[in-house]
Amino acid sequence: MSNTPMAASPLTRAVLEIDEYASGLGWDQPARLFALVDTARLRTQEPALAAQLGLADEQESTGLTPIEQDEIPTGKALDEFLATIAWPDAVAGCALTVERLMLPPSAEASVPEGMDEKRLAKWVAEHPDRQEVRMTVAVLRDGTRESALRLREKDTPTDVLTGSDLVPGLAEALTATFEE
């Protein structure tokens, strides 16, 4: 199903698989939340679901399978929504893909002071150096994290940046969904 590199860690492969899936949906999409489950455990404990997901005949015994969750409510701030999530023990991790506008670091000095969130968002949206980015961030219960960033202007599979600390705030918010 995926063209993700086999040498990558299972978490990196899951992030790239989700990025590839989101890319296939196009831009201007809502945020999407995924549970990450151990693929071997899924095959053993939920063979019908594994078959439905096309995993029954795969040879690989390790890995993580992303399972998209219900749609994220549009009227609620993302951080508020994430604070309401609790995962069952069968979920090894979670991931979120979201689109945002970002500015290069050089634009930080020109941000007007004293703006509320709404005015700041409008200012960023009108800034000539803004870039649209799709961020996919995943975390495991043990705190391991991985991210993938894709710029709209460089929307190719070979131009996806990966790293564990690319979106630390979002990774921390996702990690908090596993705290009791």
Side-chain angles (χ1 to χ4, degrees), residues 73-94:
T74 55
K76 194 171 209 175
L78 189 56
D79 57 340
E80 290 175 18
F81 171 72
L82 291 175
T84 67
I85 295 175
W87 296 102
D89 290 340
V91 174
C94 66

Side-chain angles (χ1 to χ4, degrees), residues 1-127:
M1 173 186 160
S2 176
N3 295 319
T4 59
M6 292 313 294
S9 74
L11 187 58
T12 302
R13 286 197 309 269
V15 164
L16 290 172
E17 185 177 319
I18 293 168
D19 173 75
E20 185 180 335
Y21 166 75
S23 177
L25 298 172
W27 286 86
D28 303 318
Q29 296 292 314
R32 295 177 188 280
L33 181 66
F34 299 82
L36 299 176
V37 297
D38 179 89
T39 303
R41 186 175 173 184
L42 178 65
R43 275 195 217 107
T44 302
Q45 295 179 352
E46 299 286 342
L49 179 57
Q52 184 180 357
L53 295 172
L55 302 172
D57 297 329
E58 284 191 14
Q59 299 300 315
E60 189 178 344
S61 60
T62 62
L64 296 165
T65 298
I67 300 175
E68 188 170 4
Q69 303 301 291
D70 291 335
E71 200 170 291
I72 296 175
T74 55
K76 194 171 209 175
L78 189 56
D79 57 340
E80 290 175 18
F81 171 72
L82 291 175
T84 67
I85 295 175
W87 296 102
D89 290 340
V91 174
C94 66
L96 181 81
T97 183
V98 63
E99 296 175 15
R100 292 289 185 259
L101 293 177
M102 69 177 219
L103 295 175
S106 60
E108 279 186 37
S110 64
V111 175
E113 291 188 32
M115 288 186 150
D116 62 18
E117 253 185 78
K118 189 174 184 178
R119 288 178 52 213
L120 181 60
K122 185 177 189 298
W123 183 84
V124 169
E126 294 171 350
H127 196 282

Side-chain angles (χ1 to χ4, degrees), residues 11 14-16 18-19 32-34 36 93-98 134-140 144-149 163-175:
L11 187 58
V15 164
L16 290 172
I18 293 168
D19 173 75
R32 295 177 188 280
L33 181 66
F34 299 82
L36 299 176
C94 66
L96 181 81
T97 183
V98 63
R134 180 181 303 114
M135 303 175 282
T136 303
V137 179
V139 300
L140 297 179
T144 305
R145 53 175 74 171
E146 187 63 67
S147 306
L149 296 179
S164 60
D165 290 321
L166 297 177
V167 193
L170 187 51
E172 290 165 16
L174 290 172
T175 300

